[in-house]
Amino acid sequence: AQASAELGQTGAALAASAQAAAGRATTVGAASEEVSRSVQTVSAGAEEMSAAIAEIARTAGEASRAAEA
């Protein structure tokens, strides 16, 4: 009877640990999604900045050529 009770307690403890681990896994998954969205946002911003710099360089080149003419 005592072994059965101890086995039941061990099973309950394992179930609680598994539930806690599942909760942490869900939290980690949500955090990972948030990081992924942030990385995508930064990447899009970097692409926009690169395009703006290229446009500025192009415009500056045109201005320089116009000034030389």
Side-chain angles (χ1 to χ4, degrees):
Q2 183 179 356
S4 178
E6 289 176 2
L7 186 57
Q9 290 172 349
T10 301
L14 287 173
S17 292
Q19 188 174 16
R24 286 191 289 276
T26 299
T27 300
V28 168
S32 177
E33 289 177 15
E34 180 70 24
V35 167
S36 178
R37 283 191 298 272
S38 294
V39 167
Q40 290 173 356
T41 300
V42 168
S43 177
E47 288 178 18
E48 289 178 17
M49 185 183 305
S50 178
I53 290 170
E55 179 63 19
I56 291 167
R58 185 188 67 75
T59 303
E62 288 177 0
S64 175
R65 284 189 294 279
E68 291 173 356

Short mmCIF file of all heavy atoms in Angstrom, two decimals:
data_model
loop_
_atom_site.label_atom_id
_atom_site.label_comp_id
_atom_site.label_asym_id
_atom_site.label_seq_id
_atom_site.Cartn_x
_atom_site.Cartn_y
_atom_site.Cartn_z
N ALA A 1 0.82 -1.19 0.00
CA ALA A 1 0.00 0.00 0.00
C ALA A 1 0.87 1.26 0.00
O ALA A 1 0.55 2.21 -0.70
CB ALA A 1 -0.91 0.00 1.22
N GLN A 2 1.94 1.19 0.80
CA GLN A 2 2.81 2.37 0.86
C GLN A 2 3.51 2.58 -0.49
O GLN A 2 3.62 3.72 -0.95
CB GLN A 2 3.86 2.20 1.97
CG GLN A 2 4.74 3.44 2.11
CD GLN A 2 5.78 3.30 3.21
OE1 GLN A 2 5.80 2.30 3.94
NE2 GLN A 2 6.62 4.29 3.34
N ALA A 3 3.95 1.50 -1.11
CA ALA A 3 4.61 1.62 -2.41
C ALA A 3 3.64 2.18 -3.44
O ALA A 3 4.02 3.00 -4.29
CB ALA A 3 5.15 0.26 -2.86
N SER A 4 2.40 1.75 -3.36
CA SER A 4 1.40 2.25 -4.29
C SER A 4 1.16 3.74 -4.09
O SER A 4 1.05 4.49 -5.06
CB SER A 4 0.09 1.47 -4.09
OG SER A 4 -0.91 1.98 -4.95
N ALA A 5 1.13 4.17 -2.84
CA ALA A 5 0.94 5.59 -2.55
C ALA A 5 2.13 6.41 -3.04
O ALA A 5 1.97 7.48 -3.62
CB ALA A 5 0.74 5.79 -1.05
N GLU A 6 3.35 5.87 -2.81
CA GLU A 6 4.55 6.57 -3.26
C GLU A 6 4.58 6.64 -4.79
O GLU A 6 4.97 7.67 -5.36
CB GLU A 6 5.80 5.88 -2.73
CG GLU A 6 6.00 6.06 -1.24
CD GLU A 6 7.20 5.28 -0.71
OE1 GLU A 6 7.90 4.62 -1.51
OE2 GLU A 6 7.42 5.33 0.51
N LEU A 7 4.17 5.56 -5.43
CA LEU A 7 4.13 5.55 -6.89
C LEU A 7 3.12 6.59 -7.40
O LEU A 7 3.38 7.30 -8.37
CB LEU A 7 3.76 4.16 -7.40
CG LEU A 7 3.81 3.94 -8.91
CD1 LEU A 7 5.20 4.27 -9.46
CD2 LEU A 7 3.43 2.52 -9.24
N GLY A 8 2.00 6.69 -6.73
CA GLY A 8 1.00 7.70 -7.09
C GLY A 8 1.53 9.10 -6.91
O GLY A 8 1.31 9.98 -7.76
N GLN A 9 2.26 9.33 -5.82
CA GLN A 9 2.85 10.65 -5.58
C GLN A 9 3.90 10.98 -6.64
O GLN A 9 3.99 12.11 -7.14
CB GLN A 9 3.47 10.71 -4.18
CG GLN A 9 2.44 10.71 -3.07
CD GLN A 9 3.10 10.57 -1.69
OE1 GLN A 9 4.28 10.28 -1.58
NE2 GLN A 9 2.29 10.79 -0.65
N THR A 10 4.71 9.97 -6.98
CA THR A 10 5.74 10.16 -8.01
C THR A 10 5.09 10.48 -9.35
O THR A 10 5.53 11.38 -10.07
CB THR A 10 6.63 8.92 -8.13
OG1 THR A 10 7.26 8.67 -6.87
CG2 THR A 10 7.70 9.11 -9.18
N GLY A 11 4.02 9.76 -9.67
CA GLY A 11 3.31 10.02 -10.92
C GLY A 11 2.72 11.42 -10.94
O GLY A 11 2.78 12.12 -11.96
N ALA A 12 2.18 11.85 -9.82
CA ALA A 12 1.60 13.19 -9.74
C ALA A 12 2.70 14.25 -9.89
O ALA A 12 2.50 15.27 -10.57
CB ALA A 12 0.86 13.38 -8.42
N ALA A 13 3.85 13.99 -9.26
CA ALA A 13 4.96 14.94 -9.37
C ALA A 13 5.46 15.02 -10.81
O ALA A 13 5.75 16.11 -11.32
CB ALA A 13 6.09 14.55 -8.43
N LEU A 14 5.54 13.87 -11.47
CA LEU A 14 5.97 13.86 -12.86
C LEU A 14 4.97 14.59 -13.75
O LEU A 14 5.35 15.34 -14.66
CB LEU A 14 6.16 12.42 -13.36
CG LEU A 14 7.40 11.69 -12.83
CD1 LEU A 14 7.36 10.23 -13.25
CD2 LEU A 14 8.67 12.35 -13.32
N ALA A 15 3.70 14.39 -13.51
CA ALA A 15 2.66 15.06 -14.28
C ALA A 15 2.75 16.58 -14.09
O ALA A 15 2.64 17.35 -15.05
CB ALA A 15 1.28 14.55 -13.89
N ALA A 16 2.99 17.01 -12.84
CA ALA A 16 3.12 18.44 -12.57
C ALA A 16 4.35 19.01 -13.27
O ALA A 16 4.30 20.11 -13.84
CB ALA A 16 3.18 18.69 -11.07
N SER A 17 5.45 18.25 -13.24
CA SER A 17 6.67 18.71 -13.92
C SER A 17 6.45 18.80 -15.42
O SER A 17 6.89 19.77 -16.06
CB SER A 17 7.83 17.74 -13.64
OG SER A 17 8.20 17.81 -12.29
N ALA A 18 5.75 17.82 -15.98
CA ALA A 18 5.48 17.85 -17.41
C ALA A 18 4.59 19.03 -17.77
O ALA A 18 4.80 19.70 -18.79
CB ALA A 18 4.82 16.53 -17.84
N GLN A 19 3.62 19.31 -16.93
CA GLN A 19 2.73 20.44 -17.18
C GLN A 19 3.50 21.76 -17.10
O GLN A 19 3.32 22.66 -17.93
CB GLN A 19 1.57 20.44 -16.18
CG GLN A 19 0.51 21.46 -16.51
CD GLN A 19 -0.70 21.33 -15.58
OE1 GLN A 19 -0.63 20.69 -14.54
NE2 GLN A 19 -1.80 21.94 -15.97
N ALA A 20 4.38 21.87 -16.13
CA ALA A 20 5.19 23.09 -16.00
C ALA A 20 6.12 23.24 -17.20
O ALA A 20 6.28 24.34 -17.74
CB ALA A 20 6.00 23.05 -14.70
N ALA A 21 6.72 22.13 -17.63
CA ALA A 21 7.60 22.17 -18.80
C ALA A 21 6.82 22.57 -20.05
O ALA A 21 7.31 23.35 -20.88
CB ALA A 21 8.28 20.83 -19.01
N ALA A 22 5.62 22.07 -20.19
CA ALA A 22 4.79 22.44 -21.34
C ALA A 22 4.47 23.93 -21.31
O ALA A 22 4.48 24.60 -22.35
CB ALA A 22 3.51 21.61 -21.36
N GLY A 23 4.18 24.45 -20.13
CA GLY A 23 3.92 25.88 -20.00
C GLY A 23 5.13 26.71 -20.38
O GLY A 23 5.00 27.72 -21.08
N ARG A 24 6.31 26.27 -19.94
CA ARG A 24 7.53 27.00 -20.30
C ARG A 24 7.80 26.89 -21.80
O ARG A 24 8.24 27.86 -22.42
CB ARG A 24 8.71 26.48 -19.48
CG ARG A 24 8.67 26.94 -18.03
CD ARG A 24 9.98 26.66 -17.30
NE ARG A 24 10.19 25.25 -17.04
CZ ARG A 24 9.70 24.57 -16.01
NH1 ARG A 24 8.94 25.18 -15.12
NH2 ARG A 24 9.96 23.29 -15.84
N ALA A 25 7.53 25.73 -22.38
CA ALA A 25 7.72 25.56 -23.82
C ALA A 25 6.81 26.51 -24.60
O ALA A 25 7.22 27.09 -25.61
CB ALA A 25 7.47 24.11 -24.22
N THR A 26 5.59 26.66 -24.13
CA THR A 26 4.67 27.60 -24.78
C THR A 26 5.19 29.02 -24.69
O THR A 26 5.15 29.78 -25.68
CB THR A 26 3.27 27.50 -24.13
OG1 THR A 26 2.79 26.17 -24.30
CG2 THR A 26 2.29 28.48 -24.75
N THR A 27 5.70 29.39 -23.52
CA THR A 27 6.27 30.73 -23.34
C THR A 27 7.47 30.95 -24.25
O THR A 27 7.60 32.00 -24.88
CB THR A 27 6.67 30.93 -21.86
OG1 THR A 27 5.51 30.77 -21.05
CG2 THR A 27 7.28 32.30 -21.63
N VAL A 28 8.33 29.95 -24.32
CA VAL A 28 9.51 30.04 -25.18
C VAL A 28 9.09 30.15 -26.65
O VAL A 28 9.66 30.94 -27.41
CB VAL A 28 10.45 28.84 -24.96
CG1 VAL A 28 11.52 28.77 -26.04
CG2 VAL A 28 11.11 28.93 -23.59
N GLY A 29 8.09 29.38 -27.02
CA GLY A 29 7.59 29.45 -28.40
C GLY A 29 7.06 30.83 -28.74
O GLY A 29 7.34 31.37 -29.81
N ALA A 30 6.31 31.42 -27.82
CA ALA A 30 5.78 32.76 -28.05
C ALA A 30 6.91 33.78 -28.14
O ALA A 30 6.88 34.68 -29.00
CB ALA A 30 4.81 33.14 -26.93
N ALA A 31 7.90 33.65 -27.27
CA ALA A 31 9.04 34.57 -27.30
C ALA A 31 9.82 34.41 -28.61
O ALA A 31 10.26 35.40 -29.20
CB ALA A 31 9.96 34.32 -26.11
N SER A 32 9.95 33.19 -29.07
CA SER A 32 10.64 32.93 -30.33
C SER A 32 9.91 33.58 -31.50
O SER A 32 10.54 34.18 -32.39
CB SER A 32 10.75 31.42 -30.56
OG SER A 32 11.35 31.14 -31.79
N GLU A 33 8.60 33.50 -31.50
CA GLU A 33 7.81 34.15 -32.55
C GLU A 33 8.00 35.66 -32.51
O GLU A 33 8.12 36.31 -33.55
CB GLU A 33 6.34 33.80 -32.41
CG GLU A 33 6.01 32.37 -32.77
CD GLU A 33 4.55 32.02 -32.55
OE1 GLU A 33 3.73 32.95 -32.39
OE2 GLU A 33 4.23 30.83 -32.53
N GLU A 34 8.03 36.23 -31.32
CA GLU A 34 8.23 37.67 -31.16
C GLU A 34 9.60 38.08 -31.69
O GLU A 34 9.73 39.09 -32.39
CB GLU A 34 8.09 38.06 -29.68
CG GLU A 34 8.29 39.53 -29.41
CD GLU A 34 7.17 40.40 -29.94
OE1 GLU A 34 6.04 39.90 -30.12
OE2 GLU A 34 7.42 41.58 -30.22
N VAL A 35 10.62 37.30 -31.38
CA VAL A 35 11.97 37.59 -31.87
C VAL A 35 11.99 37.50 -33.39
O VAL A 35 12.58 38.36 -34.07
CB VAL A 35 13.01 36.62 -31.25
CG1 VAL A 35 14.34 36.71 -31.97
CG2 VAL A 35 13.19 36.93 -29.76
N SER A 36 11.34 36.50 -33.93
CA SER A 36 11.28 36.34 -35.38
C SER A 36 10.63 37.55 -36.05
O SER A 36 11.13 38.07 -37.05
CB SER A 36 10.52 35.06 -35.74
OG SER A 36 10.41 34.92 -37.14
N ARG A 37 9.53 38.02 -35.47
CA ARG A 37 8.86 39.21 -36.02
C ARG A 37 9.78 40.43 -35.93
O ARG A 37 9.85 41.24 -36.86
CB ARG A 37 7.55 39.48 -35.30
CG ARG A 37 6.43 38.56 -35.74
CD ARG A 37 5.08 39.03 -35.21
NE ARG A 37 5.01 39.03 -33.76
CZ ARG A 37 4.65 37.99 -33.01
NH1 ARG A 37 4.32 36.86 -33.58
NH2 ARG A 37 4.59 38.09 -31.70
N SER A 38 10.50 40.55 -34.82
CA SER A 38 11.41 41.69 -34.66
C SER A 38 12.54 41.63 -35.69
O SER A 38 12.91 42.66 -36.27
CB SER A 38 12.00 41.69 -33.25
OG SER A 38 10.99 41.93 -32.29
N VAL A 39 13.07 40.45 -35.91
CA VAL A 39 14.15 40.29 -36.90
C VAL A 39 13.63 40.64 -38.29
O VAL A 39 14.32 41.33 -39.06
CB VAL A 39 14.72 38.85 -36.87
CG1 VAL A 39 15.60 38.57 -38.07
CG2 VAL A 39 15.50 38.62 -35.58
N GLN A 40 12.42 40.22 -38.60
CA GLN A 40 11.84 40.56 -39.91
C GLN A 40 11.65 42.06 -40.04
O GLN A 40 11.89 42.63 -41.11
CB GLN A 40 10.51 39.82 -40.09
CG GLN A 40 10.68 38.33 -40.29
CD GLN A 40 9.35 37.59 -40.30
OE1 GLN A 40 8.30 38.17 -40.09
NE2 GLN A 40 9.41 36.29 -40.53
N THR A 41 11.22 42.71 -38.97
CA THR A 41 11.03 44.16 -38.99
C THR A 41 12.35 44.87 -39.21
O THR A 41 12.45 45.80 -40.02
CB THR A 41 10.38 44.64 -37.68
OG1 THR A 41 9.11 44.00 -37.54
CG2 THR A 41 10.21 46.14 -37.65
N VAL A 42 13.39 44.43 -38.51
CA VAL A 42 14.72 45.04 -38.66
C VAL A 42 15.24 44.81 -40.07
O VAL A 42 15.80 45.71 -40.70
CB VAL A 42 15.70 44.48 -37.61
CG1 VAL A 42 17.13 44.87 -37.92
CG2 VAL A 42 15.31 44.96 -36.22
N SER A 43 15.03 43.61 -40.59
CA SER A 43 15.48 43.29 -41.94
C SER A 43 14.79 44.19 -42.96
O SER A 43 15.44 44.72 -43.87
CB SER A 43 15.20 41.82 -42.25
OG SER A 43 15.56 41.51 -43.57
N ALA A 44 13.49 44.36 -42.82
CA ALA A 44 12.75 45.22 -43.75
C ALA A 44 13.25 46.66 -43.64
O ALA A 44 13.42 47.35 -44.66
CB ALA A 44 11.25 45.16 -43.46
N GLY A 45 13.50 47.12 -42.43
CA GLY A 45 14.03 48.47 -42.23
C GLY A 45 15.39 48.64 -42.87
O GLY A 45 15.68 49.68 -43.48
N ALA A 46 16.24 47.63 -42.76
CA ALA A 46 17.57 47.69 -43.35
C ALA A 46 17.47 47.74 -44.88
O ALA A 46 18.23 48.48 -45.53
CB ALA A 46 18.41 46.50 -42.92
N GLU A 47 16.54 46.96 -45.44
CA GLU A 47 16.35 47.00 -46.89
C GLU A 47 15.88 48.38 -47.35
O GLU A 47 16.36 48.91 -48.36
CB GLU A 47 15.35 45.93 -47.31
CG GLU A 47 15.88 44.52 -47.21
CD GLU A 47 14.85 43.47 -47.60
OE1 GLU A 47 13.85 43.82 -48.26
OE2 GLU A 47 15.04 42.31 -47.23
N GLU A 48 14.95 48.96 -46.61
CA GLU A 48 14.47 50.30 -46.95
C GLU A 48 15.58 51.34 -46.86
O GLU A 48 15.70 52.22 -47.71
CB GLU A 48 13.31 50.69 -46.04
CG GLU A 48 12.04 49.92 -46.31
CD GLU A 48 10.91 50.29 -45.36
OE1 GLU A 48 11.00 51.33 -44.70
OE2 GLU A 48 9.94 49.52 -45.29
N MET A 49 16.40 51.20 -45.82
CA MET A 49 17.51 52.15 -45.65
C MET A 49 18.51 51.99 -46.79
O MET A 49 19.00 52.99 -47.34
CB MET A 49 18.22 51.91 -44.31
CG MET A 49 19.30 52.94 -44.03
SD MET A 49 20.23 52.64 -42.51
CE MET A 49 18.95 52.54 -41.30
N SER A 50 18.78 50.76 -47.18
CA SER A 50 19.70 50.52 -48.29
C SER A 50 19.17 51.13 -49.58
O SER A 50 19.92 51.77 -50.34
CB SER A 50 19.91 49.01 -48.46
OG SER A 50 20.76 48.75 -49.55
N ALA A 51 17.87 50.97 -49.82
CA ALA A 51 17.27 51.56 -51.03
C ALA A 51 17.34 53.08 -50.98
O ALA A 51 17.63 53.73 -51.99
CB ALA A 51 15.82 51.09 -51.16
N ALA A 52 17.12 53.66 -49.81
CA ALA A 52 17.19 55.12 -49.67
C ALA A 52 18.61 55.62 -49.91
O ALA A 52 18.81 56.64 -50.58
CB ALA A 52 16.69 55.54 -48.28
N ILE A 53 19.58 54.91 -49.39
CA ILE A 53 20.99 55.31 -49.59
C ILE A 53 21.35 55.22 -51.07
O ILE A 53 22.01 56.11 -51.61
CB ILE A 53 21.93 54.44 -48.73
CG1 ILE A 53 21.74 54.80 -47.25
CG2 ILE A 53 23.39 54.60 -49.15
CD1 ILE A 53 22.42 53.85 -46.29
N ALA A 54 20.89 54.16 -51.74
CA ALA A 54 21.16 54.03 -53.17
C ALA A 54 20.52 55.17 -53.95
O ALA A 54 21.13 55.72 -54.88
CB ALA A 54 20.65 52.67 -53.68
N GLU A 55 19.32 55.54 -53.57
CA GLU A 55 18.62 56.65 -54.23
C GLU A 55 19.36 57.97 -53.99
O GLU A 55 19.51 58.79 -54.90
CB GLU A 55 17.17 56.74 -53.75
CG GLU A 55 16.39 57.88 -54.36
CD GLU A 55 16.21 57.78 -55.86
OE1 GLU A 55 16.37 56.68 -56.44
OE2 GLU A 55 15.91 58.81 -56.49
N ILE A 56 19.83 58.19 -52.79
CA ILE A 56 20.59 59.40 -52.47
C ILE A 56 21.87 59.44 -53.29
O ILE A 56 22.24 60.48 -53.85
CB ILE A 56 20.89 59.49 -50.95
CG1 ILE A 56 19.59 59.75 -50.18
CG2 ILE A 56 21.94 60.55 -50.66
CD1 ILE A 56 19.72 59.55 -48.68
N ALA A 57 22.56 58.30 -53.38
CA ALA A 57 23.79 58.24 -54.17
C ALA A 57 23.51 58.54 -55.63
O ALA A 57 24.26 59.27 -56.29
CB ALA A 57 24.45 56.88 -54.01
N ARG A 58 22.41 57.97 -56.16
CA ARG A 58 22.05 58.21 -57.55
C ARG A 58 21.77 59.69 -57.78
O ARG A 58 22.26 60.31 -58.73
CB ARG A 58 20.83 57.36 -57.93
CG ARG A 58 20.46 57.45 -59.40
CD ARG A 58 19.14 56.76 -59.68
NE ARG A 58 18.00 57.44 -59.06
CZ ARG A 58 17.46 58.57 -59.48
NH1 ARG A 58 17.95 59.19 -60.53
NH2 ARG A 58 16.42 59.11 -58.86
N THR A 59 20.99 60.28 -56.89
CA THR A 59 20.64 61.71 -57.01
C THR A 59 21.88 62.59 -56.89
O THR A 59 22.03 63.56 -57.64
CB THR A 59 19.61 62.08 -55.94
OG1 THR A 59 18.46 61.22 -56.08
CG2 THR A 59 19.17 63.52 -56.05
N ALA A 60 22.76 62.23 -55.97
CA ALA A 60 23.99 63.00 -55.80
C ALA A 60 24.86 62.91 -57.06
O ALA A 60 25.46 63.91 -57.50
CB ALA A 60 24.78 62.51 -54.60
N GLY A 61 24.89 61.73 -57.67
CA GLY A 61 25.65 61.57 -58.91
C GLY A 61 25.07 62.41 -60.03
O GLY A 61 25.82 63.05 -60.79
N GLU A 62 23.75 62.43 -60.13
CA GLU A 62 23.10 63.26 -61.15
C GLU A 62 23.40 64.74 -60.92
O GLU A 62 23.67 65.49 -61.86
CB GLU A 62 21.60 63.01 -61.16
CG GLU A 62 21.21 61.66 -61.72
CD GLU A 62 19.71 61.41 -61.65
OE1 GLU A 62 18.96 62.30 -61.17
OE2 GLU A 62 19.29 60.33 -62.06
N ALA A 63 23.34 65.15 -59.66
CA ALA A 63 23.61 66.55 -59.34
C ALA A 63 25.05 66.92 -59.67
O ALA A 63 25.31 68.01 -60.19
CB ALA A 63 23.30 66.81 -57.87
N SER A 64 25.94 66.00 -59.40
CA SER A 64 27.35 66.25 -59.67
C SER A 64 27.58 66.38 -61.18
O SER A 64 28.30 67.29 -61.63
CB SER A 64 28.19 65.10 -59.11
OG SER A 64 29.55 65.27 -59.46
N ARG A 65 26.96 65.48 -61.94
CA ARG A 65 27.11 65.56 -63.40
C ARG A 65 26.48 66.85 -63.94
O ARG A 65 27.03 67.49 -64.85
CB ARG A 65 26.49 64.33 -64.04
CG ARG A 65 27.34 63.08 -63.91
CD ARG A 65 26.82 61.93 -64.74
NE ARG A 65 25.50 61.45 -64.25
CZ ARG A 65 25.33 60.63 -63.23
NH1 ARG A 65 26.38 60.21 -62.54
NH2 ARG A 65 24.12 60.24 -62.89
N ALA A 66 25.36 67.24 -63.39
CA ALA A 66 24.70 68.47 -63.83
C ALA A 66 25.56 69.69 -63.52
O ALA A 66 25.64 70.64 -64.31
CB ALA A 66 23.33 68.61 -63.18
N ALA A 67 26.24 69.67 -62.38
CA ALA A 67 27.09 70.79 -61.98
C ALA A 67 28.31 70.88 -62.88
O ALA A 67 28.82 71.98 -63.13
CB ALA A 67 27.50 70.64 -60.52
N GLU A 68 28.78 69.75 -63.36
CA GLU A 68 29.98 69.73 -64.23
C GLU A 68 29.64 70.17 -65.64
O GLU A 68 30.52 70.59 -66.39
CB GLU A 68 30.58 68.32 -64.25
CG GLU A 68 31.19 67.90 -62.94
CD GLU A 68 31.63 66.45 -62.93
OE1 GLU A 68 31.41 65.72 -63.92
OE2 GLU A 68 32.21 66.02 -61.91
N ALA A 69 28.40 70.07 -66.02
CA ALA A 69 28.01 70.39 -67.41
C ALA A 69 27.95 71.87 -67.67
O ALA A 69 28.05 72.75 -66.95
CB ALA A 69 26.64 69.77 -67.70
#
